[in-house]
Amino acid sequence: MNTPLRIGMTGGIGSGKSAAAHYFAHLGATIIDSDQIAHQLTTSGGLAIPAIRQHFGTDYLTTNGSLDRQRMRERIFQDHVAKRTLEAILHPLIRAACWQQAQESAAAPYQIWVIPLLYEHPDWQENLDRILVIDCDEETQIHRVMQRSQLTREAVEQILRQQAKRIDRLSIANDVIVNIGDFAALQQQVDALHQLYLNRTPQNHHRL
Ligand SMILES: CC(C)(COP(=O)(O)OP(=O)(O)OC[C@H]1O[C@@H](n2cnc3c(N)ncnc32)[C@H](O)[C@@H]1O)[C@@H](O)C(=O)NCCC(=O)NCCS
Ligand SMILES: Nc1ncnc2c1ncn2[C@@H]1O[C@H](COP(=O)(O)OP(=O)(O)OP(=O)(O)O)[C@@H](O)[C@H]1O
């Protein structure tokens, strides 16, 4: 059986990764979503909970034993050491779970790996055939995240400062979706990339 084409999708907070992934899935792609996996690992009984309890204490767990996401978010985006500690706990587990999901869905024509920190952690780029960046201006990101959640402008800006710059992320892209219009404009770009990915295989395209 051929290995499916693996596309790493990345983009800053609120750029539209989930919206694009949702539509790729509708077209038949397999989606491997590192944010979703991180959520599963940190629900009650999740694989990452014992290490989080050990390093951060029970203060960062809710009464039902899952990660207190708000509290952890407030901590890590103003404490670099805590951020690195949480990433050191979660990233190896996320990667293992991504690979497991990828193997379980090997029959799909191509896979979209949603990895927000693909630029910040280049080792994630290994074994990917292409990189797709969901691009949009920071002001749009801020508005979208504020609309979607209870976060203040300052809180979103603080997260943005911890993430790669737009221009750096674009420097690793093979493909770019500019998500500054409406959902129809986003879907049109996904449709075009869907055709491109169906016509590519890992055997006839190498990223490097
Ligand atoms: C800090 C946490 C608990 C906040 O949870 P919350 O539900 O508020 O956010 P959610 O998980 O939906 O993430 C939303 C976005 O935040 C940004 N983000 C998350 N983690 C990080 C990080 N370590 N560095 C920079 N940005 C991050 C991404 O843009 C992500 O898409 C959570 O994001 C987390 O566990 N982060 C560490 C895991 C990680 O590094 N994930 C990225 C996988 S590549
Ligand atoms: N083209 C668009 N038009 C209107 N709203 C959009 C568009 N793209 C995304 N959105 C909305 O903006 C918000 C952020 O989008 P989405 O959740 O897809 O971003 P994300 O990159 O996955 O974010 P995060 O990094 O936080 O996981 C969502 O509420 C989504 O519905």
Side-chain angles (χ1 to χ4, degrees), residues 10-21 33 35 114 116 134 140-141 143-145 147-149 163 178-187:
T10 193
I13 188 163
S15 57
K17 298 179 297 294
S18 302
D33 186 330
D35 272 344
V114 186
I134 312 297
T140 305
Q141 286 176 264
H143 275 116
R144 284 186 185 149
V145 177
Q147 257 181 0
R148 185 189 59 184
S149 63
Q163 298 191 338
V178 183
N179 186 26
I180 53 172
D182 57 12
F183 282 114
L186 172 63
Q187 290 183 356

Side-chain angles (χ1 to χ4, degrees), residues 28 75 82 90 92 96 125 138:
R75 171 84 185 271
L90 284 176
Q125 295 171 30
E138 287 197 353

